[in-house]
Amino acid sequence: MAIKVSEIFHSVQGEGQWAGTPSTFVRLSGCNLRCVWCDTPYASWNPEGEIMELDDIFASAKHRHVVLTGGEPMLFTESVTLSERWRKDNRIITIETAGTIFQDIHCDLMSISPKLSNSTPTSDAKWSKTHEERRWNPEVINKLTKNYPYQLKFVIGPEVTKDINEVEALLSQLEDINPEQVFLMPEGRDSSSLWSRAKELIPACMSHGWRIAPRLQIDLFGDTKGT
Ligand code: SF4
């Protein structure tokens, strides 16, 4: 059994509740969305990588925490097989997904990043329509949050108020969401713009009980592949 892998690397988790935790990242290549600000186009718009045997992917885990990311790892049944093997090996598994596809998979944290309308690639007619039809799927997200420990991470763009209003509207369509597991994550490619936008998110987090998600990988390493 084999699958296309964009990259495998070892670093600290940059985002969400396990930020700072040493982890092995396995990035699968291929995505069903095309976010305009995608920071991993080599796993989405232009999927790159090599076909690897699952045995070799499994053996690459050097840390107790393993993060299966993409692209969209829930597209692939091989993700389920990998998660079964890591579970038997006592690994702590995070799945990073946009929350548009459900699979019965092993994980300790379902890290869901539903995409707002700020992600839609308006200048690409074909992908604009397809992305818009796929990006928000409350039925799938409700199923994921009921079946797994979860966090919800929303990427907030320059139009902060509009995006926060959209987050409120989307969350109202979901069931039994713990606000402490909702993270607002500024969009940006450099540390200073990230933190300046993060300051604008404080009032919404204070009033709703949400959290601001750092992006440690950008603070520590810049906008660099393999971090
Ligand atoms: S879901 Fe993730 S990998 Fe896919 S296009 Fe959006 S940002 Fe890129």
Side-chain angles (χ1 to χ4, degrees), residues 167-185:
V167 171
E168 288 170 344
L170 296 186
L171 286 175
S172 73
Q173 298 172 38
L174 301 178
E175 295 161 10
D176 300 324
I177 295 299
N178 176 0
E180 288 185 5
Q181 291 307 104
V182 175
F183 291 79
L184 299 188
M185 202 162 64

PDB file of all heavy atoms in Angstrom, residues 167-185:
ATOM      1  N   VAL A 167     -17.720  33.774  11.280  1.00  0.00           N
ATOM      2  CA  VAL A 167     -17.458  32.692  12.248  1.00  0.00           C
ATOM      3  C   VAL A 167     -18.670  32.503  13.160  1.00  0.00           C
ATOM      4  O   VAL A 167     -19.117  31.374  13.405  1.00  0.00           O
ATOM      5  CB  VAL A 167     -16.189  32.999  13.086  1.00  0.00           C
ATOM      6  CG1 VAL A 167     -16.052  32.002  14.236  1.00  0.00           C
ATOM      7  CG2 VAL A 167     -14.940  32.968  12.207  1.00  0.00           C
ATOM      8  N   GLU A 168     -19.217  33.618  13.652  1.00  0.00           N
ATOM      9  CA  GLU A 168     -20.399  33.527  14.529  1.00  0.00           C
ATOM     10  C   GLU A 168     -21.554  32.828  13.801  1.00  0.00           C
ATOM     11  O   GLU A 168     -22.213  31.941  14.357  1.00  0.00           O
ATOM     12  CB  GLU A 168     -20.856  34.925  14.963  1.00  0.00           C
ATOM     13  CG  GLU A 168     -19.927  35.580  15.968  1.00  0.00           C
ATOM     14  CD  GLU A 168     -20.273  37.051  16.185  1.00  0.00           C
ATOM     15  OE1 GLU A 168     -21.012  37.642  15.375  1.00  0.00           O
ATOM     16  OE2 GLU A 168     -19.754  37.614  17.170  1.00  0.00           O
ATOM     17  N   ALA A 169     -21.767  33.209  12.528  1.00  0.00           N
ATOM     18  CA  ALA A 169     -22.877  32.620  11.770  1.00  0.00           C
ATOM     19  C   ALA A 169     -22.652  31.125  11.529  1.00  0.00           C
ATOM     20  O   ALA A 169     -23.582  30.316  11.645  1.00  0.00           O
ATOM     21  CB  ALA A 169     -23.032  33.357  10.434  1.00  0.00           C
ATOM     22  N   LEU A 170     -21.414  30.751  11.230  1.00  0.00           N
ATOM     23  CA  LEU A 170     -21.133  29.331  10.971  1.00  0.00           C
ATOM     24  C   LEU A 170     -21.258  28.507  12.248  1.00  0.00           C
ATOM     25  O   LEU A 170     -21.833  27.417  12.253  1.00  0.00           O
ATOM     26  CB  LEU A 170     -19.739  29.164  10.359  1.00  0.00           C
ATOM     27  CG  LEU A 170     -19.523  29.794   8.978  1.00  0.00           C
ATOM     28  CD1 LEU A 170     -18.149  29.436   8.432  1.00  0.00           C
ATOM     29  CD2 LEU A 170     -20.590  29.373   7.972  1.00  0.00           C
ATOM     30  N   LEU A 171     -20.722  29.056  13.351  1.00  0.00           N
ATOM     31  CA  LEU A 171     -20.797  28.295  14.609  1.00  0.00           C
ATOM     32  C   LEU A 171     -22.242  28.069  15.033  1.00  0.00           C
ATOM     33  O   LEU A 171     -22.566  27.053  15.653  1.00  0.00           O
ATOM     34  CB  LEU A 171     -20.028  29.030  15.717  1.00  0.00           C
ATOM     35  CG  LEU A 171     -18.500  28.974  15.624  1.00  0.00           C
ATOM     36  CD1 LEU A 171     -17.867  29.848  16.703  1.00  0.00           C
ATOM     37  CD2 LEU A 171     -17.982  27.534  15.757  1.00  0.00           C
ATOM     38  N   SER A 172     -23.133  29.014  14.665  1.00  0.00           N
ATOM     39  CA  SER A 172     -24.542  28.853  15.049  1.00  0.00           C
ATOM     40  C   SER A 172     -25.184  27.670  14.324  1.00  0.00           C
ATOM     41  O   SER A 172     -26.243  27.189  14.721  1.00  0.00           O
ATOM     42  CB  SER A 172     -25.320  30.140  14.770  1.00  0.00           C
ATOM     43  OG  SER A 172     -25.514  30.292  13.379  1.00  0.00           O
ATOM     44  N   GLN A 173     -24.535  27.179  13.269  1.00  0.00           N
ATOM     45  CA  GLN A 173     -25.074  26.011  12.536  1.00  0.00           C
ATOM     46  C   GLN A 173     -24.536  24.695  13.102  1.00  0.00           C
ATOM     47  O   GLN A 173     -24.911  23.622  12.639  1.00  0.00           O
ATOM     48  CB  GLN A 173     -24.700  26.096  11.060  1.00  0.00           C
ATOM     49  CG  GLN A 173     -25.282  27.307  10.354  1.00  0.00           C
ATOM     50  CD  GLN A 173     -24.724  27.446   8.940  1.00  0.00           C
ATOM     51  OE1 GLN A 173     -24.515  26.472   8.231  1.00  0.00           O
ATOM     52  NE2 GLN A 173     -24.464  28.668   8.536  1.00  0.00           N
ATOM     53  N   LEU A 174     -23.604  24.774  14.067  1.00  0.00           N
ATOM     54  CA  LEU A 174     -23.012  23.554  14.628  1.00  0.00           C
ATOM     55  C   LEU A 174     -23.631  23.240  15.977  1.00  0.00           C
ATOM     56  O   LEU A 174     -24.243  24.098  16.621  1.00  0.00           O
ATOM     57  CB  LEU A 174     -21.495  23.734  14.766  1.00  0.00           C
ATOM     58  CG  LEU A 174     -20.738  24.032  13.464  1.00  0.00           C
ATOM     59  CD1 LEU A 174     -19.246  24.236  13.746  1.00  0.00           C
ATOM     60  CD2 LEU A 174     -20.937  22.915  12.440  1.00  0.00           C
ATOM     61  N   GLU A 175     -23.453  21.995  16.419  1.00  0.00           N
ATOM     62  CA  GLU A 175     -24.085  21.553  17.669  1.00  0.00           C
ATOM     63  C   GLU A 175     -23.043  21.378  18.762  1.00  0.00           C
ATOM     64  O   GLU A 175     -21.998  20.756  18.545  1.00  0.00           O
ATOM     65  CB  GLU A 175     -24.784  20.200  17.423  1.00  0.00           C
ATOM     66  CG  GLU A 175     -25.941  20.301  16.452  1.00  0.00           C
ATOM     67  CD  GLU A 175     -26.324  18.947  15.849  1.00  0.00           C
ATOM     68  OE1 GLU A 175     -25.815  17.908  16.320  1.00  0.00           O
ATOM     69  OE2 GLU A 175     -27.105  18.960  14.887  1.00  0.00           O
ATOM     70  N   ASP A 176     -23.360  21.923  19.958  1.00  0.00           N
ATOM     71  CA  ASP A 176     -22.578  21.658  21.186  1.00  0.00           C
ATOM     72  C   ASP A 176     -21.093  21.942  21.042  1.00  0.00           C
ATOM     73  O   ASP A 176     -20.249  21.113  21.401  1.00  0.00           O
ATOM     74  CB  ASP A 176     -22.753  20.185  21.618  1.00  0.00           C
ATOM     75  CG  ASP A 176     -24.199  19.862  21.895  1.00  0.00           C
ATOM     76  OD1 ASP A 176     -24.906  20.736  22.406  1.00  0.00           O
ATOM     77  OD2 ASP A 176     -24.614  18.722  21.581  1.00  0.00           O
ATOM     78  N   ILE A 177     -20.753  23.094  20.496  1.00  0.00           N
ATOM     79  CA  ILE A 177     -19.333  23.445  20.355  1.00  0.00           C
ATOM     80  C   ILE A 177     -18.851  24.109  21.641  1.00  0.00           C
ATOM     81  O   ILE A 177     -19.464  25.053  22.140  1.00  0.00           O
ATOM     82  CB  ILE A 177     -19.129  24.383  19.149  1.00  0.00           C
ATOM     83  CG1 ILE A 177     -19.475  23.653  17.851  1.00  0.00           C
ATOM     84  CG2 ILE A 177     -17.691  24.915  19.103  1.00  0.00           C
ATOM     85  CD1 ILE A 177     -18.649  22.429  17.547  1.00  0.00           C
ATOM     86  N   ASN A 178     -17.736  23.606  22.172  1.00  0.00           N
ATOM     87  CA  ASN A 178     -17.096  24.215  23.341  1.00  0.00           C
ATOM     88  C   ASN A 178     -16.304  25.436  22.868  1.00  0.00           C
ATOM     89  O   ASN A 178     -15.353  25.285  22.104  1.00  0.00           O
ATOM     90  CB  ASN A 178     -16.170  23.172  23.983  1.00  0.00           C
ATOM     91  CG  ASN A 178     -15.394  23.755  25.150  1.00  0.00           C
ATOM     92  OD1 ASN A 178     -15.537  24.932  25.491  1.00  0.00           O
ATOM     93  ND2 ASN A 178     -14.562  22.931  25.757  1.00  0.00           N
ATOM     94  N   PRO A 179     -16.672  26.654  23.327  1.00  0.00           N
ATOM     95  CA  PRO A 179     -15.978  27.845  22.811  1.00  0.00           C
ATOM     96  C   PRO A 179     -14.474  27.824  23.076  1.00  0.00           C
ATOM     97  O   PRO A 179     -13.711  28.412  22.314  1.00  0.00           O
ATOM     98  CB  PRO A 179     -16.665  29.010  23.537  1.00  0.00           C
ATOM     99  CG  PRO A 179     -17.521  28.416  24.593  1.00  0.00           C
ATOM    100  CD  PRO A 179     -17.755  26.986  24.264  1.00  0.00           C
ATOM    101  N   GLU A 180     -14.057  27.134  24.145  1.00  0.00           N
ATOM    102  CA  GLU A 180     -12.610  27.076  24.427  1.00  0.00           C
ATOM    103  C   GLU A 180     -11.850  26.299  23.353  1.00  0.00           C
ATOM    104  O   GLU A 180     -10.626  26.373  23.277  1.00  0.00           O
ATOM    105  CB  GLU A 180     -12.351  26.414  25.781  1.00  0.00           C
ATOM    106  CG  GLU A 180     -12.743  27.296  26.938  1.00  0.00           C
ATOM    107  CD  GLU A 180     -12.382  26.681  28.261  1.00  0.00           C
ATOM    108  OE1 GLU A 180     -11.742  25.612  28.284  1.00  0.00           O
ATOM    109  OE2 GLU A 180     -12.759  27.273  29.280  1.00  0.00           O
ATOM    110  N   GLN A 181     -12.558  25.536  22.560  1.00  0.00           N
ATOM    111  CA  GLN A 181     -11.910  24.772  21.490  1.00  0.00           C
ATOM    112  C   GLN A 181     -12.005  25.484  20.134  1.00  0.00           C
ATOM    113  O   GLN A 181     -11.693  24.902  19.104  1.00  0.00           O
ATOM    114  CB  GLN A 181     -12.507  23.364  21.410  1.00  0.00           C
ATOM    115  CG  GLN A 181     -12.165  22.498  22.605  1.00  0.00           C
ATOM    116  CD  GLN A 181     -10.655  22.444  22.861  1.00  0.00           C
ATOM    117  OE1 GLN A 181     -10.144  23.075  23.773  1.00  0.00           O
ATOM    118  NE2 GLN A 181      -9.929  21.709  22.043  1.00  0.00           N
ATOM    119  N   VAL A 182     -12.445  26.752  20.176  1.00  0.00           N
ATOM    120  CA  VAL A 182     -12.492  27.562  18.950  1.00  0.00           C
ATOM    121  C   VAL A 182     -11.292  28.509  18.959  1.00  0.00           C
ATOM    122  O   VAL A 182     -11.090  29.263  19.913  1.00  0.00           O
ATOM    123  CB  VAL A 182     -13.806  28.379  18.882  1.00  0.00           C
ATOM    124  CG1 VAL A 182     -13.794  29.317  17.681  1.00  0.00           C
ATOM    125  CG2 VAL A 182     -15.007  27.446  18.823  1.00  0.00           C
ATOM    126  N   PHE A 183     -10.484  28.439  17.916  1.00  0.00           N
ATOM    127  CA  PHE A 183      -9.288  29.280  17.785  1.00  0.00           C
ATOM    128  C   PHE A 183      -9.449  30.200  16.587  1.00  0.00           C
ATOM    129  O   PHE A 183      -9.834  29.753  15.510  1.00  0.00           O
ATOM    130  CB  PHE A 183      -8.039  28.413  17.558  1.00  0.00           C
ATOM    131  CG  PHE A 183      -7.632  27.585  18.744  1.00  0.00           C
ATOM    132  CD1 PHE A 183      -8.290  26.406  19.050  1.00  0.00           C
ATOM    133  CD2 PHE A 183      -6.573  27.982  19.538  1.00  0.00           C
ATOM    134  CE1 PHE A 183      -7.906  25.630  20.144  1.00  0.00           C
ATOM    135  CE2 PHE A 183      -6.178  27.217  20.629  1.00  0.00           C
ATOM    136  CZ  PHE A 183      -6.846  26.041  20.939  1.00  0.00           C
ATOM    137  N   LEU A 184      -9.116  31.476  16.792  1.00  0.00           N
ATOM    138  CA  LEU A 184      -9.018  32.406  15.664  1.00  0.00           C
ATOM    139  C   LEU A 184      -7.541  32.534  15.319  1.00  0.00           C
ATOM    140  O   LEU A 184      -6.712  32.784  16.189  1.00  0.00           O
ATOM    141  CB  LEU A 184      -9.581  33.784  16.027  1.00  0.00           C
ATOM    142  CG  LEU A 184     -11.053  33.853  16.426  1.00  0.00           C
ATOM    143  CD1 LEU A 184     -11.484  35.314  16.558  1.00  0.00           C
ATOM    144  CD2 LEU A 184     -11.970  33.117  15.454  1.00  0.00           C
ATOM    145  N   MET A 185      -7.250  32.360  14.044  1.00  0.00           N
ATOM    146  CA  MET A 185      -5.856  32.313  13.611  1.00  0.00           C
ATOM    147  C   MET A 185      -5.647  33.382  12.544  1.00  0.00           C
ATOM    148  O   MET A 185      -6.279  33.331  11.488  1.00  0.00           O
ATOM    149  CB  MET A 185      -5.597  30.922  13.035  1.00  0.00           C
ATOM    150  CG  MET A 185      -4.171  30.515  13.022  1.00  0.00           C
ATOM    151  SD  MET A 185      -4.046  28.727  12.835  1.00  0.00           S
ATOM    152  CE  MET A 185      -4.753  28.482  11.239  1.00  0.00           C
TER     153      MET A 185
END
